[in-house]
Amino acid sequence: MIWDDMFPDYPFEYEFLDQEYNALYQQETRAGNIFASFSILAVLIACLGLVGLASYMVEQRTKEIGVRKVLGATASQIITLFFRDFLVLVLIGFLISIPIAWFVMSGWLQNFAYRIEIQWVIFLAAG
């Protein structure tokens, strides 16, 4: 055999190309699964934090809610009052996270042979 004549110390080994590609992207798939799991966990913890913050705000503003109800405020007006406070906090967090996410994702995407640019629409949809 020609291989044995040219390289007697090295055994002939072969692999299929599709198996090579699967091995290359298996680490990316595993990392994606880990990130998805921790993302779900982070969202659940954040939701629990928002529920805790809402209950704390309601407890702190019980007298204000009572006065507003006596003066004729509807339930939707009171909910809007609290919603506005949460919206500001969420918007600030969103604006802080956009540059961090863009920096991390663009660095990660540079490792691929076929690169894409991150569009602003993706951040808008996530927000």
Side-chain angles (χ1 to χ4, degrees), residues 49-69 75 77-83 85-86:
L50 282 176
V51 168
L53 183 61
S55 64
Y56 178 73
M57 285 177 61
V58 168
E59 186 177 327
Q60 292 294 317
R61 297 170 84 175
T62 303
K63 290 181 183 178
E64 178 186 353
I65 294 169
V67 170
R68 287 182 183 268
K69 287 296 283 181
Q77 290 173 337
I78 294 172
I79 290 172
T80 304
L81 180 71
F82 287 114
F83 181 71
D85 294 340
F86 282 120

Side-chain angles (χ1 to χ4, degrees), residues 91-126:
L91 188 61
I92 290 170
F94 179 65
L95 291 176
I96 290 171
S97 68
I98 288 175
I100 296 169
W102 180 81
F103 180 73
V104 170
M105 289 300 296
S106 62
W108 178 64
L109 289 172
Q110 293 300 315
N111 294 330
F112 290 96
Y114 297 104
R115 294 179 185 90
I116 62 168
E117 292 295 323
I118 302 172
Q119 302 295 322
W120 63 271
V121 178
I122 293 174
F123 294 110
L124 186 66

Side-chain angles (χ1 to χ4, degrees), residues 15-30:
E15 293 183 17
F16 292 106
L17 187 60
D18 61 339
Q19 292 173 348
E20 285 288 320
Y21 281 132
N22 286 340
L24 286 175
Y25 290 107
Q26 186 175 11
Q27 182 180 0
E28 299 298 328
T29 303
R30 188 178 307 125

